[in-house]
Amino acid sequence: MTTAPDALFTETLLLLGGAVVAAPISRKLGLGTVLGYLAAGVVIGPILHLLTEGGEILAVAELGVVFLLFIIGLELNPSRLWRMRADIFGLGTAQVLLTGLALTGAAVFSGLVDWRGGLVAGFGLALSSTAFALQLLNDAGDMNTRYGQRSFSILLLQDLAIVPLLAMVSILSSGHETANGSVLVDSIVAVLAVVAMVMAGRYLLTPLFQVIARTGAREVMIAAALLVVLGSAVLMQLAGLSMAMGAFLSGVMLAESSYRHELEADIEPFRGVLLALFFMAVGLSLDLNVILDNFVLVLVAVPAVVAIKAAILYTLCRSSGSPHDDAVRIAFLLPQGGEFGFVLFTTATAQQLLSNGTASLLISIVTLTMALTPIGAALSRRLLTGDSREELDEDFEGAGSDVLIVGFSRFAQIAAQILLASGRDVTIIDDSADRIRQAASFGFRIYYGDGNRLDVLRAAGLKRAKIVAVCTQKKETTDRIVDLILAECPDVRLFVRSYDRIHSLSLRARNVEYELRETLESGLLFGRKTLEALGMSEEDALAIGEDIRRRDEERLRIQLTDGLHAGRHMLHNRPVRPEPLVKPKRATPDDIEAAVRAHTGTENS
């Protein structure tokens, strides 16, 4: 007897099926995955009514935004964040204030709300969607561009602004005589929570991951990563800040940790799935009846909100030094409403500043502006004048370095010295917690990560590195990593430490750009010094060493085409016919008698 699958199982299949079908189609059309997920949610929910709990799914799916902010935090160490302070507190604050006031005026002028409700509507619509914008930046690979970083600065300030905006709702609502005192208490609690987060990140998190890494249990490392992200998110939520802000702070605190890339790789799958679920849940939550009942108003309001926000963003970016192309990209990336607008409108409804109908209408407007964002971002390319995309200098340890070294062996340590002495930034990953701790004691910056995992290599900057140097000690491990990298990035410049001559031939057959046997140079130097000790001049010994190196390279080329035993004529040798090394047998009495007779006979003759 078979039983019908429960509702949770069926809903999961529907969501996964929708994501698998819609995202590739949307990406193929050049609209990105976000619009595909959103469309899948609209079809599954409001159109076909296969799912109706969009709000409940959205509450869970918001963890995708939390994980996204944690990963972004991992890429911004405190010093880098401090250098962005002008964009965060200057450009970001100006955007929220000017856009909020402009949209407040539009809302009041429309007659939809009074001035108090207009403030809530205006500043709620002024907030953009962190999830939408950062996903579009990641899809385009533009997170490390100048315009990508300015966009993120604005989004970060908007996330911080949710605290005073919620306080504004409390002040505007009736019956809150103690609102001012409450705001002061909430602010103190928020500050203390941030201080606690910073202290925990500095003194607790890295020792925790050191202990876990020594166990070698990957599943425990994943569990610890989830614990840190969710724990910090909940702490910030209890303090009145957003969960995403807590996750972001914990990421920033771990940005200089040796375990950063491993954490990013462990969190990435959860982030991707939950963000897809978040976008689908937004589509599920769309109320088509509200849109149909207010069709004309929505038809005017949606493009008006987008146009007002885009115009203010472009003007602010241009006035603060952004070139035309960057200002256009930012203006078309951030004109939508955001997920925090949902929170603000829901809270205002509970405080009776907005009616249920007005709140539903505002939420529908936010959702539609989200849907238009990928299309607008694609169309914005027509307005570009051809300015070259300005990349940010990677002036922090981590993904994006010129050289990615996999395996911090003795060989790699010497190579890294040369690179660092030249001023090059190097990202080094190794899977030995003890080696990381020892290297850190000598001032090296290396990260914990298993080079056999493609997700770790990606997190460590595989696709952005100019050269990837594989310096692991075991031949089998090196081969696995080389094959993994070549399958992911066939055109990558690979420099590989070789175990022996046979391994060198194997690596050359894989078309690596450069390989070096770990003992070649040391053996040549040892031989030269021996000749000098025997009385030869340094110049003559060096010339002989160079001849050996040239012959060795020529032999490798011949062997690569003709086999291992080819090229013997390139070797310097003196042929010797050694006597067979056969262990003598013990003499028997018959052998002794025969030897005596032979000896006697020889003497007689």
Side-chain angles (χ1 to χ4, degrees):
M1 178 180 178
T2 60
T3 58
D6 58 29
L8 179 61
F9 185 77
T10 304
E11 292 174 358
T12 303
L13 284 179
L14 280 172
L15 292 171
L16 291 175
V20 169
V21 172
I25 294 175
S26 180
R27 196 176 186 93
K28 187 70 174 178
L29 294 174
L31 300 175
T33 58
V34 173
L35 192 59
Y37 294 135
L38 194 65
V42 173
V43 171
I44 293 172
I47 295 179
L48 299 180
H49 300 289
L50 298 176
L51 280 177
T52 57
E53 295 86 9
E56 296 179 6
I57 295 174
L58 186 62
V60 176
E62 284 179 353
L63 290 176
V65 183
V66 170
F67 289 137
L68 175 64
L69 265 294
F70 176 74
I71 290 176
I72 296 299
L74 286 175
E75 297 188 3
L76 290 172
N77 59 28
S79 60
R80 182 63 176 275
L81 198 59
W82 178 250
R83 285 192 293 272
M84 294 168 59
R85 66 189 184 280
D87 283 344
I88 295 173
F89 296 105
L91 183 59
T93 302
Q95 185 275 329
V96 171
L97 290 176
L98 293 179
T99 307
L101 292 174
L103 291 174
T104 295
V108 174
F109 179 76
S110 69
L112 185 65
V113 290
D114 61 11
W115 70 271
R116 295 187 304 166
L119 283 172
V120 175
F123 280 92
L125 292 172
L127 304 178
S128 303
S129 173
T130 301
F132 266 72
L134 293 185
Q135 183 70 20
L136 291 173
L137 285 173
N138 285 332
D139 285 347
D142 287 346
M143 192 63 215
N144 280 327
T145 61
R146 177 60 180 163
Y147 96 88
Q149 291 291 281
R150 298 204 90 180
S151 299
F152 177 73
S153 298
I154 295 171
L155 291 168
L156 184 57
L157 191 281
Q158 291 178 355
D159 288 348
L160 290 170
I162 191 63
V163 176
L165 289 179
L166 288 173
M168 179 189 73
V169 171
S170 298
I171 294 171
L172 291 175
S173 62
S174 58
H176 274 257
E177 295 81 1
T178 60
N180 292 331
S182 177
V183 171
L184 179 61
V185 172
D186 291 344
S187 300
I188 293 175
V189 170
V191 171
L192 291 176
V194 170
V195 172
M197 178 70 67
V198 171
M199 298 300 291
R202 183 173 295 274
Y203 298 109
L204 295 180
L205 294 185
T206 296
L208 169 67
F209 286 112
Q210 285 179 345
V211 172
I212 295 173
R214 278 197 290 269
T215 67
R218 186 190 167 200
E219 65 277 7
V220 181
M221 181 67 79
I222 295 175
L226 292 174
L227 175 64
V228 168
V229 177
L230 297 179
S232 58
V234 170
L235 176 62
M236 289 296 104
Q237 187 182 45
L238 293 175
L241 294 169
S242 68
M243 295 179 69
M245 181 56 59
F248 173 75
L249 285 176
S250 64
V252 171
M253 290 303 101
L254 287 167
E256 295 182 333
S257 167
S258 298
Y259 303 94
R260 166 190 153 187
H261 294 305
E262 185 78 7
L263 290 171
E264 185 174 348
D266 289 338
I267 291 296
E268 182 64 28
F270 299 97
R271 179 203 67 85
V273 172
L274 287 170
L275 261 187
L277 186 60
F278 172 81
F279 298 132
M280 294 180 73
V282 171
L284 286 169
S285 303
L286 187 63
D287 192 337
L288 293 182
N289 292 327
V290 171
I291 296 175
L292 294 175
D293 293 341
N294 301 274
F295 183 75
V296 175
L297 180 58
V298 170
L299 192 63
V300 174
V302 170
V305 170
V306 170
I308 291 173
K309 293 186 72 172
I312 292 175
L313 282 164
Y314 178 84
T315 303
L316 288 173
C317 291
R318 288 290 282 157
S319 63
S320 60
S322 289
H324 167 77
D325 281 8
D326 281 1
V328 168
R329 291 187 179 104
I330 295 172
F332 280 84
L333 180 69
L334 305 178
Q336 78 289 119
E339 51 273 5
F340 288 127
F342 299 156
V343 177
L344 202 63
F345 300 147
T346 303
T347 304
T349 303
Q351 301 288 351
Q352 298 181 349
L353 291 174
L354 296 175
S355 66
N356 289 328
T358 302
S360 298
L361 180 60
L362 290 171
I363 290 173
S364 297
I365 291 173
V366 169
T367 304
L368 290 174
T369 58
M370 287 181 177
L372 291 176
T373 299
I375 301 174
L379 294 177
S380 69
R381 300 188 187 100
R382 298 179 179 272
L383 300 177
L384 304 182
T385 60
D387 290 350
S388 59
R389 191 172 77 180
E390 181 187 1
E391 297 289 343
L392 285 180
D393 294 331
E394 293 288 351
D395 55 359
F396 58 94
E397 308 283 347
S401 300
D402 289 341
V403 181
L404 168 61
I405 296 181
V406 183
F408 202 48
S409 58
R410 291 169 295 178
F411 183 95
Q413 293 169 23
I414 297 172
Q417 280 287 289
I418 297 177
L419 292 167
L420 293 171
S422 72
R424 290 289 184 179
D425 191 19
V426 182
T427 299
I428 309 169
I429 61 173
D430 197 282
D431 62 354
S432 170
D434 291 335
R435 192 175 296 132
I436 288 173
R437 188 170 54 255
Q438 292 168 2
S441 67
F442 289 98
F444 284 102
R445 290 286 297 145
I446 66 176
Y447 300 95
Y448 179 82
D450 185 357
N452 288 284
R453 292 174 53 192
L454 183 58
D455 51 355
V456 170
L457 293 172
R458 286 171 178 163
L462 170 62
K463 293 187 177 181
R464 294 188 291 276
K466 295 179 180 178
I467 292 177
V468 180
V470 182
C471 302
T472 44
Q473 299 183 67
K474 294 183 179 180
K475 179 171 65 174
E476 297 78 9
T477 302
T478 300
D479 288 344
R480 281 197 303 271
I481 295 174
V482 167
D483 292 340
L484 193 66
I485 293 174
L486 288 175
E488 177 72 7
C489 303
D491 299 326
V492 71
R493 301 185 66 185
L494 261 179
F495 282 42
V496 186
R497 167 193 179 180
S498 168
Y499 179 75
D500 55 19
R501 191 174 197 83
I502 296 176
H503 193 206
S504 289
L505 293 170
S506 172
L507 292 171
R508 292 195 175 198
R510 290 176 167 87
N511 294 319
V512 303
E513 181 173 334
Y514 180 76
E515 52 73 32
L516 179 66
R517 299 196 303 282
E518 58 188 19
T519 56
L520 176 64
E521 294 298 327
S522 56
L524 289 173
L525 178 60
F526 191 89
R528 291 205 323 260
K529 291 301 181 181
T530 303
L531 288 176
E532 292 173 20
L534 291 172
M536 182 176 288
S537 68
E538 182 179 348
E539 292 77 10
D540 289 343
L542 182 61
I544 291 175
E546 290 302 316
D547 178 65
I548 297 298
R549 182 185 284 106
R550 180 186 60 78
R551 287 169 174 267
D552 182 81
E553 179 63 26
E554 184 63 27
R555 276 188 66 214
L556 282 172
R557 294 198 190 99
I558 296 173
Q559 289 174 319
L560 193 60
T561 57
D562 299 339
L564 181 63
H565 297 289
R568 290 186 176 183
H569 63 282
M570 304 295 296
L571 291 171
H572 286 290
N573 55 38
R574 293 183 179 178
V576 178
R577 292 183 177 276
E579 293 295 331
L581 297 178
V582 180
K583 184 178 179 179
K585 295 186 297 183
R586 180 175 295 178
T588 63
D590 292 338
D591 294 334
I592 296 175
E593 184 179 349
V596 170
R597 283 200 303 270
H599 181 69
T600 303
T602 301
E603 286 182 344
N604 291 336
S605 62

